[in-house]
Each structure stands twice: as C-alpha cells, then as structure tokens.
C-alpha cells in the first residue's frame, strides 16, 4: 500500500517528538510534556503504524516491546572482550594497586575517575550509525547472549543516539539493574501471583533481562547506567574517561550522577567510605566502588594483565549475603498474638553489621525453604530491612535434623495456637491473658505515633506486666507515683517524668487514639481515614460493617475487624476508662497535631521517582492539600528530588528552597 507523503511526515514527526521526550524524561529528568500528552502521542503513532505497517522503523519508540518470544538466545561474539575488574577487599589492596600503577607510569600521583559498582548485570550495547543493533550479556567475557529485544524494552536505553557526531560504530558497556523499590514491588506481585520471589535485585535484573519473551522484560522496572566503551569505529572520543562518559550522555545514554574525578588514592578511599555510609539509603544496591585511571593514554600504557585491566580496580563493600549456621529457632508472640519464628544464628558480619537473628516469617515460609536447626544458610541484609534467610545449603545439612514445626501451644502463656484456614499466620488464642500480647499492646499504645508516652519503653513495659501492675492499656493511667518509683532503675525523678509524660499524652487526636487501641487491620493511615470520615468516636462506634466498607480504602477484612472490635464489651470498657482518666481530643482536629497538613504549601516534583509515577505523587500531595507546581520559584516550599533530578534541583538549591529525596517524600505522605 502506498503511504501518502503526509502520513509519512506525520509518523516521522511523532517518532522524533516521542524520542525527544524520552530523552528529557529519562536522561535529563525534566519532562517537557504531561504524561497524558505523551501517551496520546504514543497512541497516535501506534495507530498509524497499525494502519501502515511499512512505516515501522527499528528505532520507532513503539518497538520497545518485543513481539515474538524466542526459544533460546543467539550467541554474540564480543569484538573486544568484556573483561571483569580485579577486586580489592581492603585499603591496603587498593594502595598496592595504586603503587603498582604509579611505578609503571613513573608518576607520584594519579588522577582517578571514581564510580559506583552497581549490583546488576553487565551489558554491551552496539550502535551502528546511531541505531541500536545489538544488546548482549557479558557471558564468559568473549561470547555473550544476544538479548536485543529485551534491552530494547528498557526505557533509559536509547534506540537511536541523539545528535550526529557519534562514531559509526559505538559499543557502550554498562550495568542493567533493578532499583530497590521496583524490586520490592515486583516481588510483591510475584507473591500475589503465587510465584517464587527473587532473592535479591541482582537476580531480579538478570532474570528479568534473560526472558525469552521480551514482553515479560518490558513489565519489569529495569534501568541502565553506562560505565565504559567497547569497540569504536569511525569517530574520536575524548582522552579522559570522565569526559567520555559526559560525551555518552550528550548522545542520550544514561550515566551515573555519583561519578567523580579525584586526585590520588587517598581521595579514592575517602569516596569509598562516604559512599559506604550512604549505601543503605541509595535507591539501588551496590557492591562496591570502582577506581579507574582517568587518562586514556595512561590506561593504554598500563594495559591488561591476563584477566583484567591494570588501570582499574573494584573496591568491594562487605557482602550483603553470607553463610552462617542456624543455632536455634525461637518463637516470638506479637501484639495480635501472631507467632513469628525467628532463627538464632551463629553471629556473622553482613554488610558491615553483626547479625544474630533472622526472621522466618511463618510456617509456610519455613516449609518452603525447609529451614532446620543446624542448617548452614545464606543470610542477607540489605538497606534497613530485617535480615532474612535466602536459602539453605542442603549439602551442608548435618545428619539427624528434623523439619521445623511451630508449637501448638503458645510458648509464653500456654494457650492453644490456632491458624485460620487460608491465613499464613498462626496465633496464640490467649488474648490479653497472654503476657506477650499485653506487653506488645502496651508498647504499641505508648509508641510515638500512638499516644506518644515519652519514656515508656520496652524495659519498663516488661516490668509493669511481669509484676502484674497492669492488666490492660487503661491501667497505665492509674499507677501511683510510689508504684512508678518502686520499679527497677526508676527513682523519684524518673517517676515524676513518666507521670508528666502520661499527663501530656492524654491530650491527643482521634486518629492517634484509634491507632493506639491496636485494632487489627487499623494502621496509621486507616486510623486517620476513620477519624477524618467519622469525626466523632461515637459515630464510628455505631458504624456497621456495611457502613465501614463503603468508605474508600477500607476493605472488607478491615471493616469486619473494626466493627467486631467495637462490639466487644471489654474494648468498650477500656475506651470508657481511658476517657474517664482524661484522654481527650478535639473533634475539629482530625489529623495528628505533630504532623501538619500540607494545605497552603507548594511542592515541585523533579527527577524520576522509583516508587510511583509522577502523577500518583502529585495526586497524593494534592490529597493532603498541597499545591503542585511545575516550576521552582522563591514561593516554592519544597522540591521533591527523585533520581537524576536536573535543572529544577539546581534552581531550588540556588534559591535556598528546601529539597527532600524520595525516602523523605514517602515518609511525609505516610505520616501527614
Ligand atoms: O564490572 C564493572 C562494574 C563497574 C566494570 C566497570 C564498572 O565501572 C563502574 N568498569 C569497567 C571498565 C569494567 N567493568 C570492565
């Protein structure tokens, strides 16, 4: 079918506009169009290409999602081997590396490019005449797998280079990785679909990229960062590594904002320790940093040893996955009676922290992993998450071990343990008869986001329950000065202080109070929602399950639990006693007093947020009363800077406007 010239022109213009937008969105993090308009352009191009298939070009933005699944990956021979780097595990090894290089180069000091070592999968991207022709894994360094349809689905990888000054052949190497937030989200989806979860973001990135059906890769939150070049034909590149990376960026390739140029090896070590401190708060996992001699001529003089370049070294961080042994399995009883098995481990250093416990979650998880006392296991600790057992090494299992089964009697109070059909959790049926549940309930009641009773910590709570001074949360306001002063490590002064804190806590908000009651399924945000909806406690207490389920964001399980809680006479008595003791709130103030609403505040979003699309972030802020503006000015109250934030972040800093990162933003919307 002959395609009218007008249509050809229209398709070309759409392609250019969308590619341009991708560059602004993914590389500069400064989108020029609203998402809705971008989607509209994409749909328009898809419609044209559907009508006139001959219009489809390999670099069309519609071609990112692979069409036909492969049966296996074809092999790619790397024009220049993709060698890996030598590793250093101590400062001394790094200093020795620098010494060797300085001696070979006869120099006193070397300029280094320092970069993060992302924990993902090494990939080579081959561009010919600016067009992405091959994406390949490292494989054994000489031959890799052709994963072109898969890499094409990664939105930060340009299908066509920008500009016109790129070499005729340009091979770019870098890391494909999955940011932590995306990894957690993807694993949640896997759990919901009853699939096996990924052990870590590296496996997730590798597993996602090596999908024979590239449509599956397209659904995974993968990213790419360039860190080196391979074959280059028909073009000249700068002769400093740092400048090469800058040049790659001008051609539309993503580079890391954490890279730097430093002088001498001590500055490399300073970089290592600074990044190590930030490691847990980075939005992706890294396993170290890399130092590279920056001058390409010096790199060439140094050359390669048999297996790795002599001009670069990876300085590794303490491992986040290590081997240890399970010494015992204990059971903890939580506030709602939930039994959590905890593995007691032979102490081991994981990611720089000594770990002695790891959660085993529940019986299903224990069965799935077949964890037994005496087993050798891989323990993982990343970010601020609780250490976890990744898997057991069955070949190291001693003889005479037994599968672990949770007890059928509560280890604290001896009550029956019950597990409702379809639920993963087993619970102690003792209720407030169980000292463990009473302790947890009181600790929760006193916690900062509940009644905020300053100074009432775990040790005091234990004494109160163990000495039978308290039976339920309402008793806390009945204790006398003498009773407080008589507790271990308490004197007159401490007793006065805790009584003052108790008095202060009585002035609260309905949301805080509801959260403090510890109703099952009522976390902080549900408590806030209920307070905002009902304004008065009496109205909430009268609400039926049917009334509750009509409230947006309250599901049937929560509705049932809330209605059941307020039907229970024991709970009504506790509420009545708390109010009689002086616990009060104002019905005009439904939101927690410590957490201001965002009414009247102007926010600007810049950069890419990993945890949610920008429009969701905007909607969440607006729901809290904030105004979301697209430009930064002196009137802006706060800029939320996601990954690769660009000119708006610079402007905010210049104007002295408050800047928060994604983690702070998530905390803000959660606690406001
Ligand atoms: O495996 C690697 C990880 C990170 C690298 C690397 C890197 O730079 C940040 N750089 C080179 C040159 C090589 N492997 C070969």
């Amino acid at each position: 079918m002959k395609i009218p010239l007008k249509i050809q022109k229209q398709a070309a213009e759409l392609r250019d506009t969308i590619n341009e937008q991708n560059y602004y969105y993914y590389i500069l993090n400064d989108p020029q169009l609203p998402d809705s308009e971008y989607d509209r352009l994409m749909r328009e191009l898809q419609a044209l290409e559907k009508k006139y298939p001959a219009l489809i070009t390999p670099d069309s933005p519609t071609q990112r999602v692979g069409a036909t699944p492969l049966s296996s990956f074809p092999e790619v021979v790397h024009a220049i081997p993709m060698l890996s780097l030598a590793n250093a595990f101590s400062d001394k090894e790094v200093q020795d590396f620098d010494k060797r290089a300085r001696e070979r180069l006869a120099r006193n000091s070397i300029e280094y490019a320092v970069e993060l070592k992302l924990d993902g999968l090494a990939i080579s991207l081959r561009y010919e005449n600016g067009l992405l022709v091959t994406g390949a894994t490292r494989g054994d360094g000489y031959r890799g797998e052709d994963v072109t349809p898969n890499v094409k689905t990664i939105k930060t990888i340009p299908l066509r280079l920008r500009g016109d000054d790129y070499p005729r052949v340009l091979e770019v190497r870098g890391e494909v990785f999955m940011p932590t937030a995306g990894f957690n989200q993807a694993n949640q989806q896997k759990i919901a679909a009853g699939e096996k979860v990924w052990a870590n973001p590296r496996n997730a990135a590798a597993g996602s990229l090596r999908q024979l059906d590239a449509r599956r890769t397209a659904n995974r939150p993968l990213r790419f960062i360039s860190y080196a070049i391979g074959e280059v034909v028909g073009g000249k590149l700068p002769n400093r590594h740092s400048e090469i990376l800058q040049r790659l960026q001008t051609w539309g390739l993503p580079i890391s904002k954490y890279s730097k140029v430093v002088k001498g090896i001590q500055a490399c070590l300073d970089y290592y320790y600074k990044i190590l401190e930030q490691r847990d708060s980075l939005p992706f996992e890294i396993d170290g940093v890399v130092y590279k001699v920056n001058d390409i001529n010096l790199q060439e003089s140094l050359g390669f040893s048999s297996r790795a370049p002599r001009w670069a070294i990876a300085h590794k961080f303490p491992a986040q996955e290590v081997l240890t042994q399970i010494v015992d399995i204990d059971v903890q009883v939580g506030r709602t009676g939930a039994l959590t098995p905890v593995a007691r481990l032979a102490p081991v250093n994981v990611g720089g922290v000594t770990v002695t416990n790891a959660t085993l979650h529940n019986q299903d998880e224990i069965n799935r992993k077949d964890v037994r006392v005496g087993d050798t296991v891989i323990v993982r600790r990343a970010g601020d998450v609780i250490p976890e057992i990744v898997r057991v090494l069955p070949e190291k299992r001693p003889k005479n071990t037994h599968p672990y089964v949770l007890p059928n009697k509560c280890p604290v109070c001896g009550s029956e343990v019950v597990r409702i059909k379809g639920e993963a959790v087993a619970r102690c049926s003792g209720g407030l008869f169980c000292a463990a549940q009473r302790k947890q309930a009181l600790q929760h009641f006193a916690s900062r986001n509940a009644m905020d009773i300053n100074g009432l910590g775990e040790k005091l709570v234990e004494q109160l329950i163990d000495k039978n001074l308290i039976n339920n949360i309402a008793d806390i306001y009945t204790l006398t000065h003498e009773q407080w002063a008589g507790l271990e490590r308490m004197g007159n002064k401490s007793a006065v202080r805790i009584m003052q804190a108790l008095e202060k806590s009585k002035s609260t908000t309905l949301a805080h109070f509801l959260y403090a009651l510890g109703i099952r399924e009522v976390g902080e945000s549900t408590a806030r929602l209920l307070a905002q909806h009902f304004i008065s406690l009496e109205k909430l207490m009268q609400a039926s399950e049917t009334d509750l389920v009509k409230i947006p964001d309250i599901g049937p399980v929560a509705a049932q639990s809330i209605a059941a809680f307020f039907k229970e006479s024991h709970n009504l008595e506790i509420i009545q006693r708390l109010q009689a003791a002086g616990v009060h709130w104002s019905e005009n103030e439904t939101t927690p007093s410590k957490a201001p609403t965002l009414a009247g505040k102007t926010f600007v979003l810049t950069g890419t947020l990993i945890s949610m699309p920008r429009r969701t972030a905007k909607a969440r802020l607006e729901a809290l009363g904030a105004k979301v503006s697209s430009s930064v000015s002196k009137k802006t109250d706060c800029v939320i800077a996601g990954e690769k934030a660009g000119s708006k972040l610079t402007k905010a800093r210049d104007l002295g406007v408050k800047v928060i990162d994604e983690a702070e933003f998530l905390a803000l919307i959660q606690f406001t």
Side-chain angles (χ1 to χ4, degrees):
M1 186 195 318
K2 179 130 174 28
I3 308 173
L5 213 60
K6 199 171 128 228
I7 299 285
Q8 290 184 35
K9 216 170 135 224
Q10 190 187 350
E13 275 169 13
L14 279 167
R15 269 198 306 270
D16 287 351
T17 313
I18 294 169
N19 282 332
E20 188 75 0
Q21 286 308 314
N22 282 345
Y23 176 69
Y24 276 99
Y25 190 93
Y26 292 111
I27 307 300
L28 301 183
N29 280 300
D30 194 11
Q32 305 290 302
L33 285 180
D35 292 357
S36 55
E37 179 58 14
Y38 176 89
D39 293 344
R40 194 191 63 74
L41 294 173
M42 193 70 148
R43 280 196 302 273
E44 203 178 316
L45 180 59
Q46 277 164 341
L48 281 183
E49 289 179 348
K50 193 164 174 215
K51 191 159 174 205
Y52 304 102
L55 278 177
I56 300 173
T57 57
D59 65 333
S60 170
T62 59
Q63 297 307 295
R64 284 197 183 270
V65 182
T68 16
L70 302 172
S71 55
S72 68
F73 296 107
E75 188 182 270
V76 172
V77 177
H78 298 301
I80 297 176
M82 283 183 82
L83 298 185
S84 48
L85 299 179
N87 290 324
F89 294 94
S90 67
D91 292 7
K92 168 87 172 44
E93 284 173 15
V94 169
Q95 282 153 348
D96 289 348
F97 154 79
D98 172 64
K99 190 161 171 250
R100 284 192 302 272
R102 281 187 291 111
E103 280 170 5
R104 276 181 183 262
L105 297 169
R107 289 182 164 243
N108 290 332
S109 172
I110 294 176
E111 179 182 274
Y112 288 102
V114 293
E115 299 169 37
L116 302 187
K117 190 166 185 306
L118 289 151
D119 209 358
L121 179 77
I123 284 290
S124 145
L125 303 174
R126 188 180 174 87
Y127 289 89
E128 287 177 8
N129 300 313
L131 197 68
L132 176 63
V133 290
T134 313
T137 62
R138 181 189 342 237
D140 65 2
Y142 300 92
R143 286 156 207 272
E145 287 170 323
D146 184 340
V147 286
T148 311
N150 309 65
V151 299
K152 278 187 169 179
T153 69
I154 301 173
K155 301 203 178 57
T156 47
I157 294 180
L159 302 182
R160 174 178 282 285
L161 297 178
R162 290 173 61 78
D164 51 13
D165 59 344
Y166 43 75
R168 188 172 60 70
V169 173
L170 174 69
E171 199 193 326
V172 180
R173 290 167 178 187
E175 203 84 354
V176 166
F177 63 100
M178 192 179 280
T180 317
F183 163 73
N184 291 333
Q185 220 167 33
N187 260 355
Q188 286 307 322
Q189 283 167 6
K190 278 184 157 270
I191 290 171
E195 291 173 21
K196 197 167 161 240
V197 297
W198 282 306
N200 54 45
R202 178 174 16 91
N203 290 0
S208 300
L209 193 75
R210 297 183 66 260
Q211 291 283 337
L212 290 169
D213 183 351
R215 284 171 298 193
R216 299 194 68 164
T217 312
N219 293 327
R220 306 280 163 75
L222 294 178
R223 303 203 142 221
F224 173 79
I225 289 288
S226 327
Y227 59 61
I229 47 164
E231 192 179 25
V232 177
V233 183
K236 229 178 117 43
L237 287 173
N239 58 6
R240 288 168 92 223
H241 172 75
S242 52
E243 288 166 15
I244 294 177
L245 293 183
Q246 293 298 330
R247 186 65 60 85
L248 293 182
Q249 190 182 31
T250 67
W251 292 328
L253 288 152
I255 59 169
S256 169
K257 70 170 178 195
Y258 296 92
S259 305
K260 276 183 19 170
V261 174
V262 301
K263 289 221 157 43
I265 204 65
Q266 186 52 47
C268 293
L269 294 174
D270 293 346
Y271 176 76
Y272 174 92
Y273 287 104
K274 196 161 151 255
I275 297 292
L276 184 56
E277 258 177 39
Q278 296 173 16
R279 182 187 197 183
D280 283 351
S281 53
L282 290 174
F284 41 73
E285 290 199 359
I286 56 175
D287 59 351
V289 296
V290 176
Y291 314 133
K292 294 173 184 168
V293 173
N294 202 22
D295 184 317
I296 302 294
N297 294 327
L298 296 185
Q299 284 189 3
E300 278 164 11
S301 307
L302 287 166
F304 292 78
S305 69
S306 59
R307 277 184 297 131
R310 285 202 193 89
W311 42 264
I313 196 155
H315 191 179
K316 301 294 285 274
F317 285 155
Q320 287 180 314
E321 284 183 15
V322 291
L323 285 189
T324 188
Q325 243 193 334
I326 301 204
V327 181
D328 206 351
I329 297 180
D330 280 347
V331 177
Q332 283 176 352
V333 184
R335 177 163 58 87
T336 58
L339 264 55
T340 308
V342 177
R344 305 291 178 206
L345 308 170
V348 66
N349 186 312
V350 194
V353 171
T354 303
V355 168
T356 49
N357 303 315
T359 177
L360 291 169
H361 299 287
N362 53 49
Q363 184 71 58
D364 290 348
E365 185 80 356
I366 293 182
N367 296 350
R368 194 169 64 76
K369 293 178 180 164
D370 188 17
V371 181
R372 303 180 187 194
V373 174
D375 270 343
T376 298
V377 292
I378 299 176
V379 178
R380 173 179 159 78
R381 190 196 75 89
D384 43 16
V385 295
I386 309 164
E388 276 205 298
I389 304 242
V390 177
R391 68 180 180 88
V392 169
L393 271 59
E395 65 277 16
K396 290 195 185 265
R397 174 167 285 165
K399 284 201 181 82
N400 300 325
T401 62
H402 306 285
Y404 181 83
V405 183
L406 276 174
N408 51 18
K409 294 271 190 285
C410 170
V412 177
C413 72
S415 300
E416 205 69 35
V417 168
V418 285
R419 183 172 167 189
I420 296 170
K421 219 169 157 224
E423 272 194 20
V425 189
R427 289 178 203 276
C428 156
S429 58
L432 290 182
F433 170 72
C434 177
Q437 292 187 52
R438 272 181 297 165
K439 280 180 194 169
Q440 299 282 343
L442 185 57
Q443 235 166 283
H444 171 79
F445 183 77
S447 65
R448 206 159 70 84
N449 296 327
M451 297 303 282
D452 195 13
I453 307 173
N454 200 6
L456 187 56
E458 195 181 331
K459 290 274 175 296
L460 269 186
V461 166
E462 270 189 10
Q463 288 192 61
L464 293 173
I465 302 288
D466 292 345
K467 291 184 195 270
N468 274 329
L469 289 171
I470 274 196
N471 260 322
N472 63 51
I473 51 177
D475 294 341
I476 192 75
Y477 291 110
T478 64
L479 296 181
T480 62
H481 177 91
E482 287 66 37
Q483 283 174 310
W484 282 112
L487 296 174
E488 274 165 39
R489 281 190 262 143
M490 290 283 284
N492 269 330
K493 265 194 193 163
S494 312
V496 169
R497 246 181 267 131
I498 194 94
M499 291 193 77
Q500 281 171 344
L502 280 160
E503 211 41 49
K504 195 166 164 222
S505 75
K506 289 179 185 172
S507 176
T508 186
T509 65
L510 178 56
H512 273 146
F513 182 71
L514 291 175
Y515 176 61
L517 289 177
I519 308 167
R520 210 182 277 175
E521 303 294 330
V522 178
E524 282 173 75
S525 61
T526 306
R528 230 175 2 247
L529 208 70
L530 291 170
Q532 274 161 4
H533 187 87
F534 289 99
I535 313 285
S536 99
L537 177 63
E538 287 65 36
K539 287 202 184 109
L540 167 62
M541 286 162 80
Q542 282 153 18
S544 68
E545 211 176 307
T546 332
D547 298 332
L548 287 160
V549 93
K550 282 188 197 137
I551 304 171
D553 287 346
I554 304 261
V557 180
Q560 188 193 27
S561 161
I562 298 162
F565 182 90
F566 290 116
K567 270 202 199 112
E568 176 66 61
S569 61
H570 171 78
N571 292 334
L572 301 183
E573 188 198 319
I574 288 180
I575 291 173
Q576 196 256 321
R577 282 185 59 208
L578 286 168
Q579 288 187 298
V583 173
H584 67 281
W585 54 87
S586 154
E587 291 192 352
N588 300 326
E589 191 194 359
T590 54
T591 44
S593 53
K594 282 185 264 35
T597 93
L598 302 180
K601 303 265 184 252
T602 305
F603 282 74
V604 172
L605 288 154
T606 182
T608 309
L609 296 176
I610 308 288
S611 53
M612 65 182 85
R614 188 179 285 215
R615 56 181 167 270
T616 310
K618 184 166 178 275
R620 298 287 293 269
L621 287 165
E622 285 170 350
L624 290 165
K627 184 170 163 248
V628 180
S629 165
S630 55
S631 58
V632 179
S633 75
K634 270 195 249 163
K635 289 193 185 138
T636 309
D637 291 292
C638 181
V639 168
I640 297 160
E643 253 190 55
K644 291 211 141 219
S647 56
K648 288 181 196 166
L649 175 59
T650 317
K651 188 160 176 199
R653 291 211 171 114
D654 289 349
L655 293 174
V657 170
K658 183 176 175 188
V659 176
I660 60 172
D661 64 16
E662 183 162 358
E664 290 167 303
F665 163 63
L666 291 175
L668 178 76
I669 55 172
Q670 193 182 353
F671 293 113
T672 301

